Amino acid sequence: MAQSSSMKLIGARNMSCVVERMEWNNKMDLIAYGTEKGEVIIQRLNWQKIVTFPTPGEDVRVRSLSWQMDETLLAVGYSNGKVALLDAESETIISGLIYDDDIKKVYFSKAINCQEKLESYTSNAKDKHKRFLPKLQPLTNIDPCLKSLDQKSFPKGSPCFLVVIMRSGKVHLLLLGALQAGSIDLTQHILHPEQFEVYDVRLNGDFNAIYALLRDGQQLKLLHFHNHVLQECMSPMLELAAHCAHILETKNYINDTQQCLTEAWETVQLEMDNKLTKYANSQTYGMISANYLELFVFGYATLEVEEFLTLTEKGFKKIANSVELSLNNLKSLVFKQLNGAAVNMFYFLNTIAGFGRISHFFEALISPDVANEAMRACGAFLLKVHELQRTIDTLVYDMKLFHSWMVITTIRLSHQEIPDIKVFTEEENQALAEFICSMEPELENEDDEDESVPEASASPLPQRSKFNLERVGQYLENSYLTQPQQVDTKQLWEQMIAENECFADCNLFVPHDKKLSLIQQREKMFNAIDAVFHKPTESISASFKLSNAIICGELPPMMTEQLDDQDESVDFVTCSYHVYEAAKCDMLALTISWQEAMVLELSRSGDCLLRCTRVQLQPGPFTQQLHEDYYNLRFVDLQFYNESSLSMLAQTSTSASSPRPHSYFVQFSLSAARNQCTQHQLAPLMKLTDATVTHSIHDIADGAAFKGLDGVCEMLAVSGSRKVATVLSDRKRKMTIYEMEIEEEEDDTEMSQASFLEISKESVLAGASESEEKAES
């Protein structure tokens, strides 16, 4: 047994609050940790804070942290069921998912090797949309703190899975963070659901199976589920997931544009909410159209109209210009942003419908009929956008005529000469007369029964129509249109539809429901799009088949308190997972008790082999004399450092004579322990405890390197690629960072010992002060 490990103290800091989770980035010197307040903080190796993400709500805890491989994207799982994707580079929240249960763990899988997976299916349409579709214009009206166009709603970099594990036992797989790639309920595959707890669920290195480590009654089991859809359709799934991500981005853009439309429409109403609207609200319903029509046709103005027309020509022009500017802004949003997003959406859905015709590869993922229905819904949304655009054009034209007529009328009533340029044509007079007549639409629900209702009990009149601006406003409400656009019977297409009713039922034509508002048509399109991506989830979920059940150990019964709060467990089970690509095997390290651990190596070469190494912290019968601390060690945490080493955190068991336990960092060599492993052929049901032998960690030659640590250490985070290790101690309020694999030099050793001595002095003083405070209390 090696007496010390090659590690050097970099620094230690007392944190302002309790740290509950830690995770190192495998490529950059970034460590993320979650606090008891629900905050997520990202900092560098030199303690420089990069960004702090606030808690998503009160009493929300951080359950899990996971960096995307070689990227700055961090997945965070919260106790309220939220999963957030945080970008440390842009310091923004990329996207989020909401589930109806507490999160156990979230993590990114290793990167999917596209070249390796594209042997059977090759796509030559990757990013082809950039050649045909213009880039959507940024929405300048959107709050800058919101997501911008250049940010993605799915993880960037190499494609990978995002796995979300719920405490209830449900597991969700997302490809590129966008496509729901199946789910599984582990409680359907156990014998004792009343005593169930999931510890970890991992995708294997070939992405065609999952390993689930869980409690089933009093047994610690590792369940192996194979999935043939994941195995056979990985490349088509990547293609579909990429388009799903583009569709999600376009949906977000449409929603943001809808927000801008609502704000622009409120601006139009605000511009009209002046003397014009005040005058309208002071009149009996129906009198405005009558008075204006009388003034327009006969040139006679009532006393109220004359008082209203006290505005000067300059005042009317100012109102006309502000309203016209607001309407043009609204028109621009519809014509450019919303129309462009609808065209993009139709392109992506058309591509997916084309994939559905390639049944050899996409039969399990896409239903052609559902995809075509989504295309038709998108086409109907595009028609509704054009309908809104025509309505806005008509309103702009009518309002311009109306304000010009108001200016002419003011000049005439003031007995001034009317310039020839302001004389209307016959068509303009007709359009203006129709606009004045439609200022106050007839009430639809009036009938003879209303006449019998006494005036005192009669309901108040509806909100005053602001010069019939509702023609546009009705499209931005989630209700049926009150003033549907009139059908132009002069158009050839409308004539064909009227003469051939079968066209309305033909799937080759896009339906145009004139009663739906823009909001309703958008929701109908979104529902049709969501239906397209139901089939991949259903196909993959139904393909999980339990192939192996491995009993790793026995656990004590779960108490009632433990069922209520799974964080406080009387048993101790922690695990770590690593994919060993060179050996084509998946490695799983787990503790089966406070003093015993297992390292499992499951081969992916097709030979169905399982190698198991069982070690314990207690000395064996032939172990040489050790320091007294080594006789009562127990596990605190463990993590794979790399495929050759396993980092462990251990501490001495407390007793009356030694109230403060000692902590040790153990670097365990897996290559040295490989001679002690047992080899098994995978079977449907295996009980490893009866087929393996436990070895003392002290009896393995050059197997374990111990390093004494200061304080009571409770959590470990290591990174073999960064060659660093972080330890939490002193009730998770002190973070200590070490550099690993340093050269054994005398100066470094002396420096490390001196640093340990200084920390020990601080710890003794802190312990003394705590004992004094307890004595005083």
Side-chain angles (χ1 to χ4, degrees), residues 110 559 616:
K110 73 181 186 74
M559 304 301 178
Q616 64 179 11

Side-chain angles (χ1 to χ4, degrees), residues 509-563:
F509 296 98
V510 173
H512 185 195
D513 193 338
K514 295 180 172 59
K515 296 182 181 180
L516 295 181
S517 67
L518 182 70
I519 302 298
Q520 291 176 317
Q521 196 71 66
R522 181 196 64 178
E523 296 303 318
K524 189 175 181 179
M525 177 184 67
F526 285 175
N527 292 335
I529 292 173
D530 293 339
V532 173
F533 300 109
H534 285 167
K535 187 170 184 179
T537 304
E538 295 172 356
S539 299
I540 298 172
S541 301
S543 300
F544 281 110
K545 304 298 180 184
L546 180 61
S547 55
N548 306 101
I550 304 172
I551 301 175
C552 301
E554 300 292 330
L555 299 173
M558 294 183 73
M559 304 301 178
T560 305
E561 296 80 4
Q562 187 178 348
L563 290 171

Side-chain angles (χ1 to χ4, degrees), residues 267-268 271 274 317-327:
T267 303
V268 174
E271 294 294 342
N274 47 41
K317 286 184 177 179
K318 183 178 179 180
I319 295 176
N321 291 334
S322 60
V323 172
E324 183 178 356
L325 181 62
S326 301
L327 288 173

Side-chain angles (χ1 to χ4, degrees), residues 53 190 232 245 325 351-352 360 379 386 390 392 464 473 538 548 554 559 569 657 665 673 724:
F53 294 97
I190 58 175
E232 298 171 0
L325 181 62
T351 306
I352 291 179
H360 180 71
H386 290 169
R390 292 193 300 270
I392 295 176
R464 169 64 64 187
E538 295 172 356
N548 306 101
E554 300 292 330
M559 304 301 178
S569 301
S657 58
F665 181 90
V724 289

Side-chain angles (χ1 to χ4, degrees), residues 605-643:
S605 302
D607 49 9
C608 299
L609 289 181
L610 167 65
R611 296 181 179 87
C612 176
T613 304
R614 286 179 63 182
V615 294
Q616 64 179 11
L617 291 175
Q618 297 173 337
F622 303 104
T623 305
Q624 298 180 357
Q625 187 67 25
L626 301 171
H627 188 274
E628 59 179 359
D629 283 351
Y630 294 159
Y631 286 91
N632 58 350
L633 290 176
R634 68 173 189 171
F635 286 110
V636 176
D637 201 358
L638 59 80
Q639 277 192 13
F640 276 105
Y641 182 76
N642 52 32
E643 62 272 3

Side-chain angles (χ1 to χ4, degrees), residues 104-263:
K104 174 67 177 182
K105 183 177 289 188
V106 296
Y107 70 90
F108 285 109
S109 71
K110 73 181 186 74
I112 302 175
N113 191 332
C114 298
Q115 297 297 327
E116 179 181 334
K117 297 298 180 182
L118 292 179
E119 296 176 355
S120 57
Y121 171 78
T122 303
S123 169
N124 36 6
K126 187 176 181 181
D127 293 336
K128 187 179 287 187
H129 66 279
K130 295 181 180 179
R131 297 167 50 188
F132 304 109
L133 300 178
K135 186 177 181 180
L136 296 177
Q137 299 183 8
L139 299 170
T140 55
N141 293 353
I142 285 290
D143 191 340
C145 67
L146 297 177
K147 181 175 55 181
S148 67
L149 180 64
D150 294 333
Q151 294 173 345
K152 302 295 183 182
S153 58
F154 60 96
K156 54 187 177 181
S158 302
C160 62
F161 279 94
L162 176 64
V163 182
V164 182
I165 309 169
M166 319 302 295
R167 286 185 176 270
S168 61
K170 294 182 180 179
V171 183
H172 304 276
L173 278 65
L174 295 96
L175 190 55
L176 300 182
L179 178 65
Q180 294 281 350
S183 62
I184 183 173
D185 189 355
L186 297 175
T187 58
Q188 303 298 319
H189 302 275
I190 58 175
L191 302 176
H192 305 281
E194 71 281 357
Q195 291 198 27
F196 165 80
E197 182 178 357
V198 57
Y199 299 107
D200 201 0
V201 179
R202 294 284 175 167
L203 272 169
N204 74 338
D206 291 335
F207 306 102
N208 58 11
I210 62 171
Y211 307 105
L213 183 65
L214 50 84
R215 166 195 276 269
D216 186 4
Q218 298 184 33
Q219 291 182 332
L220 179 63
K221 288 185 177 181
L222 179 67
L223 303 183
H224 177 261
F225 296 90
H226 186 266
N227 193 300
H228 71 88
V229 175
L230 289 176
Q231 181 176 1
E232 298 171 0
C233 302
M234 181 57 66
S235 182
M237 281 177 57
L238 288 175
E239 189 74 41
L240 182 61
H243 284 77
C244 177
H246 293 316
I247 287 175
L248 287 181
E249 289 179 356
T250 310
K251 287 175 67 175
N252 293 336
Y253 186 86
I254 290 175
N255 290 331
D256 293 342
T257 306
Q258 181 65 50
Q259 178 182 340
C260 292
L261 281 173
T262 303
E263 294 175 357

